[in-house]
PDB file of all heavy atoms in Angstrom:
ATOM      1  N   HIS A  45     -23.853 -20.899  -2.842  1.00  0.00           N
ATOM      2  CA  HIS A  45     -22.453 -21.359  -2.691  1.00  0.00           C
ATOM      3  C   HIS A  45     -22.222 -22.631  -3.498  1.00  0.00           C
ATOM      4  O   HIS A  45     -21.066 -23.100  -3.535  1.00  0.00           O
ATOM      5  CB  HIS A  45     -22.080 -21.528  -1.220  1.00  0.00           C
ATOM      6  CG  HIS A  45     -22.038 -20.216  -0.481  1.00  0.00           C
ATOM      7  ND1 HIS A  45     -20.980 -19.350  -0.588  1.00  0.00           N
ATOM      8  CD2 HIS A  45     -22.963 -19.604   0.311  1.00  0.00           C
ATOM      9  CE1 HIS A  45     -21.226 -18.258   0.156  1.00  0.00           C
ATOM     10  NE2 HIS A  45     -22.416 -18.387   0.684  1.00  0.00           N
ATOM     11  N   ASP A  48     -22.508 -28.442  -5.174  1.00  0.00           N
ATOM     12  CA  ASP A  48     -21.289 -29.249  -5.325  1.00  0.00           C
ATOM     13  C   ASP A  48     -20.064 -28.437  -4.910  1.00  0.00           C
ATOM     14  O   ASP A  48     -18.936 -28.808  -5.233  1.00  0.00           O
ATOM     15  CB  ASP A  48     -21.164 -29.684  -6.793  1.00  0.00           C
ATOM     16  CG  ASP A  48     -21.224 -28.494  -7.744  1.00  0.00           C
ATOM     17  OD1 ASP A  48     -21.392 -27.327  -7.278  1.00  0.00           O
ATOM     18  OD2 ASP A  48     -21.095 -28.700  -8.973  1.00  0.00           O
ATOM     19  N   GLY A  49     -20.299 -27.280  -4.247  1.00  0.00           N
ATOM     20  CA  GLY A  49     -19.168 -26.488  -3.746  1.00  0.00           C
ATOM     21  C   GLY A  49     -18.706 -25.415  -4.711  1.00  0.00           C
ATOM     22  O   GLY A  49     -17.891 -24.569  -4.380  1.00  0.00           O
ATOM     23  N   ILE A  50     -19.210 -25.460  -5.951  1.00  0.00           N
ATOM     24  CA  ILE A  50     -18.819 -24.458  -6.958  1.00  0.00           C
ATOM     25  C   ILE A  50     -19.865 -23.356  -6.938  1.00  0.00           C
ATOM     26  O   ILE A  50     -21.032 -23.573  -7.268  1.00  0.00           O
ATOM     27  CB  ILE A  50     -18.681 -25.071  -8.362  1.00  0.00           C
ATOM     28  CG1 ILE A  50     -17.540 -26.128  -8.304  1.00  0.00           C
ATOM     29  CG2 ILE A  50     -18.380 -24.022  -9.395  1.00  0.00           C
ATOM     30  CD1 ILE A  50     -17.298 -26.865  -9.574  1.00  0.00           C
ATOM     31  N   PRO A  51     -19.461 -22.119  -6.514  1.00  0.00           N
ATOM     32  CA  PRO A  51     -20.430 -21.042  -6.330  1.00  0.00           C
ATOM     33  C   PRO A  51     -21.180 -20.705  -7.615  1.00  0.00           C
ATOM     34  O   PRO A  51     -20.631 -20.860  -8.739  1.00  0.00           O
ATOM     35  CB  PRO A  51     -19.571 -19.863  -5.888  1.00  0.00           C
ATOM     36  CG  PRO A  51     -18.367 -20.496  -5.262  1.00  0.00           C
ATOM     37  CD  PRO A  51     -18.122 -21.740  -6.058  1.00  0.00           C
ATOM     38  N   SER A  53     -21.988 -17.822  -8.766  1.00  0.00           N
ATOM     39  CA  SER A  53     -21.448 -16.717  -9.558  1.00  0.00           C
ATOM     40  C   SER A  53     -20.017 -16.407  -9.049  1.00  0.00           C
ATOM     41  O   SER A  53     -19.611 -16.871  -7.989  1.00  0.00           O
ATOM     42  CB  SER A  53     -22.317 -15.452  -9.444  1.00  0.00           C
ATOM     43  OG  SER A  53     -21.818 -14.602  -8.428  1.00  0.00           O
ATOM     44  N   LYS A  54     -19.287 -15.610  -9.847  1.00  0.00           N
ATOM     45  CA  LYS A  54     -17.880 -15.368  -9.517  1.00  0.00           C
ATOM     46  C   LYS A  54     -17.723 -14.424  -8.328  1.00  0.00           C
ATOM     47  O   LYS A  54     -16.637 -14.292  -7.815  1.00  0.00           O
ATOM     48  CB  LYS A  54     -17.150 -14.823 -10.757  1.00  0.00           C
ATOM     49  CG  LYS A  54     -16.985 -15.796 -11.867  1.00  0.00           C
ATOM     50  CD  LYS A  54     -15.880 -15.444 -12.822  1.00  0.00           C
ATOM     51  CE  LYS A  54     -15.720 -16.395 -13.966  1.00  0.00           C
ATOM     52  NZ  LYS A  54     -15.428 -17.771 -13.466  1.00  0.00           N
ATOM     53  N   ILE A  56     -19.391 -14.868  -5.557  1.00  0.00           N
ATOM     54  CA  ILE A  56     -19.776 -15.635  -4.365  1.00  0.00           C
ATOM     55  C   ILE A  56     -18.568 -16.523  -3.958  1.00  0.00           C
ATOM     56  O   ILE A  56     -18.004 -17.193  -4.796  1.00  0.00           O
ATOM     57  CB  ILE A  56     -21.026 -16.486  -4.626  1.00  0.00           C
ATOM     58  CG1 ILE A  56     -22.216 -15.606  -5.017  1.00  0.00           C
ATOM     59  CG2 ILE A  56     -21.367 -17.324  -3.387  1.00  0.00           C
ATOM     60  CD1 ILE A  56     -23.497 -16.347  -5.329  1.00  0.00           C
ATOM     61  N   PRO A  57     -18.186 -16.444  -2.683  1.00  0.00           N
ATOM     62  CA  PRO A  57     -17.008 -17.212  -2.274  1.00  0.00           C
ATOM     63  C   PRO A  57     -17.232 -18.717  -2.145  1.00  0.00           C
ATOM     64  O   PRO A  57     -18.362 -19.167  -1.866  1.00  0.00           O
ATOM     65  CB  PRO A  57     -16.703 -16.629  -0.875  1.00  0.00           C
ATOM     66  CG  PRO A  57     -17.989 -16.111  -0.364  1.00  0.00           C
ATOM     67  CD  PRO A  57     -18.742 -15.642  -1.562  1.00  0.00           C
ATOM     68  N   ILE A  58     -16.162 -19.461  -2.313  1.00  0.00           N
ATOM     69  CA  ILE A  58     -16.179 -20.899  -1.999  1.00  0.00           C
ATOM     70  C   ILE A  58     -16.240 -20.999  -0.484  1.00  0.00           C
ATOM     71  O   ILE A  58     -15.497 -20.333   0.222  1.00  0.00           O
ATOM     72  CB  ILE A  58     -14.838 -21.542  -2.472  1.00  0.00           C
ATOM     73  CG1 ILE A  58     -14.767 -21.567  -4.000  1.00  0.00           C
ATOM     74  CG2 ILE A  58     -14.691 -22.965  -1.882  1.00  0.00           C
ATOM     75  CD1 ILE A  58     -13.408 -22.045  -4.531  1.00  0.00           C
ATOM     76  N   TRP A 108     -12.267 -28.785  -0.803  1.00  0.00           N
ATOM     77  CA  TRP A 108     -12.187 -27.505  -1.521  1.00  0.00           C
ATOM     78  C   TRP A 108     -12.324 -27.794  -3.041  1.00  0.00           C
ATOM     79  O   TRP A 108     -11.586 -28.587  -3.576  1.00  0.00           O
ATOM     80  CB  TRP A 108     -10.847 -26.864  -1.227  1.00  0.00           C
ATOM     81  CG  TRP A 108     -10.670 -25.520  -1.826  1.00  0.00           C
ATOM     82  CD1 TRP A 108     -10.166 -25.234  -3.079  1.00  0.00           C
ATOM     83  CD2 TRP A 108     -10.967 -24.236  -1.215  1.00  0.00           C
ATOM     84  NE1 TRP A 108     -10.166 -23.871  -3.287  1.00  0.00           N
ATOM     85  CE2 TRP A 108     -10.630 -23.236  -2.153  1.00  0.00           C
ATOM     86  CE3 TRP A 108     -11.489 -23.856   0.014  1.00  0.00           C
ATOM     87  CZ2 TRP A 108     -10.806 -21.879  -1.898  1.00  0.00           C
ATOM     88  CZ3 TRP A 108     -11.647 -22.501   0.256  1.00  0.00           C
ATOM     89  CH2 TRP A 108     -11.316 -21.512  -0.681  1.00  0.00           C
ATOM     90  N   PRO A 109     -13.269 -27.120  -3.735  1.00  0.00           N
ATOM     91  CA  PRO A 109     -13.450 -27.395  -5.138  1.00  0.00           C
ATOM     92  C   PRO A 109     -12.428 -26.683  -6.035  1.00  0.00           C
ATOM     93  O   PRO A 109     -11.931 -25.608  -5.677  1.00  0.00           O
ATOM     94  CB  PRO A 109     -14.857 -26.811  -5.432  1.00  0.00           C
ATOM     95  CG  PRO A 109     -14.979 -25.722  -4.449  1.00  0.00           C
ATOM     96  CD  PRO A 109     -14.223 -26.106  -3.207  1.00  0.00           C
ATOM     97  N   ASP A 110     -12.101 -27.291  -7.133  1.00  0.00           N
ATOM     98  CA  ASP A 110     -11.144 -26.682  -8.070  1.00  0.00           C
ATOM     99  C   ASP A 110     -11.928 -25.933  -9.146  1.00  0.00           C
ATOM    100  O   ASP A 110     -12.650 -26.538  -9.949  1.00  0.00           O
ATOM    101  CB  ASP A 110     -10.295 -27.784  -8.698  1.00  0.00           C
ATOM    102  CG  ASP A 110      -9.258 -27.226  -9.671  1.00  0.00           C
ATOM    103  OD1 ASP A 110      -9.205 -25.971  -9.839  1.00  0.00           O
ATOM    104  OD2 ASP A 110      -8.515 -28.017 -10.238  1.00  0.00           O
ATOM    105  N   LEU A 111     -11.832 -24.594  -9.146  1.00  0.00           N
ATOM    106  CA  LEU A 111     -12.588 -23.811 -10.141  1.00  0.00           C
ATOM    107  C   LEU A 111     -11.842 -23.755 -11.470  1.00  0.00           C
ATOM    108  O   LEU A 111     -12.360 -23.174 -12.441  1.00  0.00           O
ATOM    109  CB  LEU A 111     -12.821 -22.397  -9.626  1.00  0.00           C
ATOM    110  CG  LEU A 111     -13.570 -22.247  -8.290  1.00  0.00           C
ATOM    111  CD1 LEU A 111     -13.881 -20.790  -8.022  1.00  0.00           C
ATOM    112  CD2 LEU A 111     -14.838 -23.055  -8.266  1.00  0.00           C
ATOM    113  N   GLY A 112     -10.652 -24.317 -11.522  1.00  0.00           N
ATOM    114  CA  GLY A 112      -9.885 -24.332 -12.779  1.00  0.00           C
ATOM    115  C   GLY A 112      -9.497 -22.930 -13.251  1.00  0.00           C
ATOM    116  O   GLY A 112      -9.394 -22.671 -14.451  1.00  0.00           O
ATOM    117  N   GLN A 113      -9.241 -22.027 -12.297  1.00  0.00           N
ATOM    118  CA  GLN A 113      -8.908 -20.639 -12.676  1.00  0.00           C
ATOM    119  C   GLN A 113      -7.449 -20.608 -13.169  1.00  0.00           C
ATOM    120  O   GLN A 113      -6.592 -21.316 -12.625  1.00  0.00           O
ATOM    121  CB  GLN A 113      -9.096 -19.692 -11.508  1.00  0.00           C
ATOM    122  CG  GLN A 113     -10.554 -19.673 -11.061  1.00  0.00           C
ATOM    123  CD  GLN A 113     -10.816 -18.750  -9.850  1.00  0.00           C
ATOM    124  OE1 GLN A 113     -11.542 -17.796  -9.971  1.00  0.00           O
ATOM    125  NE2 GLN A 113     -10.247 -19.093  -8.709  1.00  0.00           N
ATOM    126  N   PRO A 114      -7.127 -19.777 -14.181  1.00  0.00           N
ATOM    127  CA  PRO A 114      -5.799 -19.783 -14.724  1.00  0.00           C
ATOM    128  C   PRO A 114      -4.747 -19.245 -13.748  1.00  0.00           C
ATOM    129  O   PRO A 114      -5.065 -18.374 -12.939  1.00  0.00           O
ATOM    130  CB  PRO A 114      -5.918 -18.840 -15.946  1.00  0.00           C
ATOM    131  CG  PRO A 114      -7.088 -17.968 -15.657  1.00  0.00           C
ATOM    132  CD  PRO A 114      -8.031 -18.817 -14.842  1.00  0.00           C
ATOM    133  N   GLY A 152      -6.970 -20.370  -4.573  1.00  0.00           N
ATOM    134  CA  GLY A 152      -8.002 -20.937  -5.399  1.00  0.00           C
ATOM    135  C   GLY A 152      -9.384 -20.348  -5.164  1.00  0.00           C
ATOM    136  O   GLY A 152     -10.387 -20.826  -5.697  1.00  0.00           O
ATOM    137  N   GLN A 153      -9.473 -19.300  -4.359  1.00  0.00           N
ATOM    138  CA  GLN A 153     -10.787 -18.634  -4.096  1.00  0.00           C
ATOM    139  C   GLN A 153     -11.244 -17.952  -5.365  1.00  0.00           C
ATOM    140  O   GLN A 153     -10.433 -17.623  -6.257  1.00  0.00           O
ATOM    141  CB  GLN A 153     -10.630 -17.667  -2.913  1.00  0.00           C
ATOM    142  CG  GLN A 153     -11.884 -16.958  -2.464  1.00  0.00           C
ATOM    143  CD  GLN A 153     -13.037 -17.870  -2.094  1.00  0.00           C
ATOM    144  OE1 GLN A 153     -13.757 -18.370  -2.982  1.00  0.00           O
ATOM    145  NE2 GLN A 153     -13.240 -18.137  -0.804  1.00  0.00           N
ATOM    146  N   ASN A 154     -12.526 -17.723  -5.499  1.00  0.00           N
ATOM    147  CA  ASN A 154     -13.142 -17.129  -6.695  1.00  0.00           C
ATOM    148  C   ASN A 154     -12.535 -15.733  -6.934  1.00  0.00           C
ATOM    149  O   ASN A 154     -12.560 -14.856  -6.047  1.00  0.00           O
ATOM    150  CB  ASN A 154     -14.635 -17.026  -6.418  1.00  0.00           C
ATOM    151  CG  ASN A 154     -15.466 -17.446  -7.625  1.00  0.00           C
ATOM    152  OD1 ASN A 154     -14.974 -17.542  -8.747  1.00  0.00           O
ATOM    153  ND2 ASN A 154     -16.740 -17.718  -7.363  1.00  0.00           N
ATOM    154  N   VAL A 155     -12.047 -15.504  -8.161  1.00  0.00           N
ATOM    155  CA  VAL A 155     -11.266 -14.279  -8.433  1.00  0.00           C
ATOM    156  C   VAL A 155     -12.071 -12.987  -8.216  1.00  0.00           C
ATOM    157  O   VAL A 155     -11.578 -12.040  -7.589  1.00  0.00           O
ATOM    158  CB  VAL A 155     -10.636 -14.335  -9.830  1.00  0.00           C
ATOM    159  CG1 VAL A 155     -11.684 -14.349 -10.929  1.00  0.00           C
ATOM    160  CG2 VAL A 155      -9.690 -13.158 -10.025  1.00  0.00           C
ATOM    161  N   GLU A 156     -13.309 -12.947  -8.733  1.00  0.00           N
ATOM    162  CA  GLU A 156     -14.106 -11.708  -8.592  1.00  0.00           C
ATOM    163  C   GLU A 156     -14.427 -11.424  -7.116  1.00  0.00           C
ATOM    164  O   GLU A 156     -14.488 -10.276  -6.687  1.00  0.00           O
ATOM    165  CB  GLU A 156     -15.421 -11.799  -9.360  1.00  0.00           C
ATOM    166  CG  GLU A 156     -15.263 -11.790 -10.857  1.00  0.00           C
ATOM    167  CD  GLU A 156     -14.645 -10.503 -11.387  1.00  0.00           C
ATOM    168  OE1 GLU A 156     -14.764  -9.464 -10.734  1.00  0.00           O
ATOM    169  OE2 GLU A 156     -14.028 -10.579 -12.473  1.00  0.00           O
ATOM    170  N   ALA A 196      -6.161 -16.463  -6.829  1.00  0.00           N
ATOM    171  CA  ALA A 196      -7.193 -17.306  -7.469  1.00  0.00           C
ATOM    172  C   ALA A 196      -6.532 -18.407  -8.272  1.00  0.00           C
ATOM    173  O   ALA A 196      -7.087 -19.516  -8.379  1.00  0.00           O
ATOM    174  CB  ALA A 196      -8.087 -16.450  -8.366  1.00  0.00           C
ATOM    175  N   LEU A 198      -3.815 -20.068  -7.654  1.00  0.00           N
ATOM    176  CA  LEU A 198      -2.979 -21.023  -6.884  1.00  0.00           C
ATOM    177  C   LEU A 198      -3.700 -22.348  -6.758  1.00  0.00           C
ATOM    178  O   LEU A 198      -4.917 -22.410  -6.683  1.00  0.00           O
ATOM    179  CB  LEU A 198      -2.683 -20.466  -5.492  1.00  0.00           C
ATOM    180  CG  LEU A 198      -1.746 -19.259  -5.406  1.00  0.00           C
ATOM    181  CD1 LEU A 198      -1.616 -18.796  -3.956  1.00  0.00           C
ATOM    182  CD2 LEU A 198      -0.359 -19.600  -6.004  1.00  0.00           C
TER     183      LEU A 198
END
Side-chain angles (χ1 to χ4, degrees):
H45 292 282
D48 54 359
I50 297 178
S53 96
K54 290 201 182 302
I56 300 178
I58 292 173
W108 183 272
D110 182 0
L111 303 187
Q113 299 179 116
Q153 184 55 280
N154 224 342
V155 64
E156 290 298 335
L198 291 178

